[in-house]
Amino acid sequence: MEIKGEHLLFLLGAGASVDAGIPISNQMVNNIEDLIVKHDDWKPYKDLYFYLKSSINYSDGILGKFNELFNVERLLIVITEIEKRESNIMYPFIGTLNIRLLDLAGNNFENIKKFHKLIRKQLNEWVGLRSYDDANYFQSFSSLSTDVGNLMKVFTLNYDMCFENIVGKDKTIELGFTKETNEWHQSNFENIEGKHYNLYKLHGSIDWYLSEEKLHKSQKIESEPELIFGIQHKMTSVDPYFYYSSVLRNSCFNEAKIIVVIGYSYADDYVNVILSQALNSRTELRIINVAPLFGRNEKTERDFIMKRLNLKSENQLINIDNKAKDFMTNIMNKEFFENNIGEPEGVPFE
């Protein structure tokens, strides 16, 4: 069966950008711990950081979640919620904050605010690459577009700019921003003429900013970019995030024949629910999961994904034991996808 652009849906996680030199979120907290020990700017927040980390891990243990990863997103979620204080919806039901936290947070929570700002600044440095030479493997998307010849949809959970900086060199990518004003409008995705990819950045981007409650795209990395952390923020009714989630759901349920997942850890429940519902309602839909096993048991990994997505049919899941760079460079092409198009259960393959 011939593959068309609308048949392919790409979902990129942190692992898709690792080969470009961008650390994944749990590596970022390891780097933060190194900074706390070695750099004077970070040392004042050592006790605060270890208090927050141990409290998050303690909370997981109470719920019986002993294998949850501690990463920079979870750290920032907690810091953001603490900063809300009186404006937090749970404030009227809580007698007082932990005495140790009050001590470490400083007067008017200044230590929390400064630590938060320091982490966000460092996050920008990790994600905002000075050179995109190591991200050249994304060029394979350009080759795929040439072969397929139709508009394709790419959804990314990352804040980086690897895709647009590499693929955008010779292919037209729609990001939703009007050229004259750099302001985001949903209608920009409706005109598909001459475009090769629609890129939906589900969690924001390091070059986005808000002005007068309107989303804009900058020509540089913003010091306080529009990024969203946490499930409660990621599945929001505010555009563009609500619109992006709606497009993801509609594409999974209607157009896509293959969902290509690259470097995603299946940690976002709202994304998993969309994938799960679509896969279980369309037996012909296939998910290709690209992630290196690093010596781990293949069956264990398969069972993990099956459980996360509540998959009923193992035939719908195709695991590729490769890093993103190797997959994009050596495997990803039109013929590969045509060979992996599925049929509804009960219909024989030709």
Side-chain angles (χ1 to χ4, degrees):
M1 181 183 293
E2 183 181 6
I3 199 84
K4 297 181 179 180
E6 61 267 26
H7 296 157
L8 292 173
L9 184 155
F10 292 89
L11 176 64
L12 309 182
S17 300
V18 167
D19 293 313
I22 298 173
I24 57 178
S25 55
N26 60 316
Q27 289 176 331
M28 289 180 183
V29 292
N30 292 335
N31 294 342
I32 287 174
E33 292 178 11
D34 287 339
L35 290 168
I36 284 174
V37 172
K38 298 175 183 177
H39 290 265
D40 291 339
D41 289 345
W42 290 78
K43 287 179 180 179
Y45 308 105
K46 177 181 176 182
D47 290 343
L48 174 60
Y49 168 77
F50 286 121
Y51 169 81
L52 294 172
K53 178 180 179 180
S54 61
S55 297
I56 292 169
N57 289 334
Y58 174 72
S59 176
D60 287 338
I62 290 176
L63 298 174
K65 298 179 180 179
F66 299 103
N67 297 314
E68 290 292 311
L69 288 177
F70 176 70
N71 57 44
V72 72
E73 279 208 354
R74 299 189 70 197
L75 176 62
L76 287 169
I77 290 166
V78 169
I79 289 175
T80 300
E81 291 301 316
I82 292 173
E83 282 184 313
K84 290 180 181 179
R85 289 181 295 170
E86 290 87 351
S87 62
N88 190 305
I89 192 172
M90 292 303 297
Y91 178 77
F93 305 96
I94 301 172
T96 183
L97 292 171
N98 184 280
I99 295 175
R100 180 60 174 160
L101 172 61
L102 292 173
D103 181 47
L104 295 171
N107 185 40
N108 200 29
F109 279 35
E110 284 302 315
N111 290 343
I112 286 280
K113 295 174 184 176
K114 290 178 182 178
F115 189 39
H116 189 179
K117 188 173 182 178
L118 195 61
I119 295 172
R120 293 288 290 258
K121 180 182 177 182
Q122 187 62 52
L123 183 66
N124 274 10
E125 293 185 14
W126 282 324
V127 177
L129 299 175
R130 290 182 173 85
S131 169
Y132 285 86
D133 290 346
D134 289 339
N136 279 331
Y137 58 93
F138 278 88
Q139 187 68 28
S140 297
F141 279 97
S142 296
S143 303
L144 180 64
S145 175
T146 299
D147 293 339
V148 173
N150 298 89
L151 180 71
M152 285 178 276
K153 294 184 176 72
V154 175
F155 297 84
T156 179
L157 302 166
N158 303 330
Y159 319 116
D160 65 66
M161 299 164 61
C162 291
F163 192 93
E164 52 264 53
N165 277 343
I166 299 301
V167 185
K169 289 178 181 178
D170 55 4
K171 297 296 178 181
T172 303
I173 302 171
E174 181 58 69
L175 285 155
F177 295 90
T178 304
K179 290 183 179 180
E180 294 76 16
T181 62
N182 289 321
E183 186 177 325
W184 187 90
H185 288 285
Q186 173 183 327
S187 59
N188 288 320
F189 288 99
E190 296 170 3
N191 178 18
I192 65 173
E193 186 177 353
K195 298 174 182 177
H196 302 98
Y197 284 100
N198 280 352
L199 180 61
Y200 306 94
K201 307 190 82 167
L202 293 164
H203 295 173
S205 182
I206 55 174
D207 62 338
W208 290 6
Y209 68 95
L210 287 174
S211 177
E212 298 179 353
E213 298 185 355
K214 294 181 180 179
L215 183 65
H216 293 79
K217 186 179 186 302
S218 178
Q219 301 303 313
K220 59 180 178 63
I221 296 174
E222 288 292 307
S223 58
E224 296 184 10
E226 172 63 9
L227 309 179
I228 49 177
F229 303 99
I231 303 304
Q232 67 272 36
H233 298 298
K234 290 172 182 175
M235 190 52 184
T236 175
S237 59
V238 178
D239 280 338
Y241 309 111
F242 180 75
Y243 171 70
Y244 288 170
S245 298
S246 300
V247 175
L248 175 62
R249 188 180 190 279
N250 182 66
S251 298
C252 287
F253 271 85
N254 296 292
E255 303 167 346
K257 293 184 181 295
I258 298 176
I259 300 172
V260 189
V261 177
I262 305 177
Y264 171 49
S265 63
Y266 298 90
D268 289 278
D269 287 342
Y270 84 97
V271 172
N272 294 346
V273 167
I274 292 173
L275 298 181
S276 175
Q277 290 177 344
L279 286 159
N280 286 313
S281 66
R282 299 178 59 209
T283 58
E284 77 277 14
L285 185 60
R286 297 290 183 267
I287 181 167
I288 295 177
N289 180 70
V290 181
L293 289 173
F294 292 118
R296 297 190 301 270
N297 183 273
E298 196 277 335
K299 185 181 184 303
T300 301
E301 292 299 304
R302 172 177 284 273
D303 290 345
F304 167 78
I305 298 171
M306 294 283 292
K307 183 177 180 180
R308 286 283 186 171
L309 299 183
N310 193 29
L311 270 181
K312 304 296 189 296
S313 173
E314 288 194 8
N315 294 331
Q316 290 181 277
L317 174 61
I318 301 165
N319 263 333
I320 305 294
D321 180 13
N322 277 107
K323 292 183 178 180
K325 181 178 180 179
D326 295 334
F327 172 76
M328 292 183 197
T329 305
N330 302 319
I331 299 175
M332 190 176 79
N333 57 42
K334 182 179 180 181
E335 181 181 4
F336 169 78
F337 292 125
E338 287 181 341
N339 289 337
N340 283 287
I341 290 181
E343 295 285 354
E345 288 186 359
V347 177
F349 287 97
E350 296 180 359

